[in-house]
Amino acid sequence: MIVTTANDIAGYEIVEYLGVVRGIIVRSTGIARGFVGGIRSIAGGNIPEYVAVCEEARGHAYQLLIEHAEQVGADGIIAMRYDGSEFMQGSTEVLAYGTAVKIRPIAG
């Protein structure tokens, strides 16, 4: 599966647009990470415990995006983006989305 943030895929022709696909995950920090992250937030700066939660959520949302694209028969995803928001205090929603496409190599 080719995934890009661009609106086309170099070397390929888009032959069909299959629609928007997405992967969504809601992840909480958990007690241990929340406690340690809360203590670190007092001093300011980067909070590795929260970064880990966000990276895990992005990775999971990305995998769900790929699964959704496979379900609709896509060869690729264009215009892929992430969006995130606080779902409720201590929980983050991460959405990965893009346009599923059928592609073929450009002859030449």
Side-chain angles (χ1 to χ4, degrees), residues 13-19 72-76 99-104:
E13 175 184 12
I14 296 172
V15 295
E16 186 178 357
Y17 292 89
L18 301 173
V72 299
D75 301 316
T99 301
V101 294
K102 297 290 278 181
I103 57 176
R104 71 171 164 231

Side-chain angles (χ1 to χ4, degrees), residues 21-57:
V21 288
R22 85 288 175 258
I24 187 169
I25 185 79
V26 177
R27 179 75 49 101
S28 69
T29 56
I31 293 173
R33 283 183 177 163
F35 178 75
V36 174
I39 297 297
R40 286 186 196 256
S41 70
I42 294 170
N46 189 40
I47 304 170
E49 291 78 15
Y50 293 165
V51 170
V53 170
C54 291
E55 284 298 330
E56 290 169 10

Side-chain angles (χ1 to χ4, degrees), residues 2 16 19 38 81 106:
I2 298 174
E16 186 178 357
R81 303 286 187 269
I106 295 174

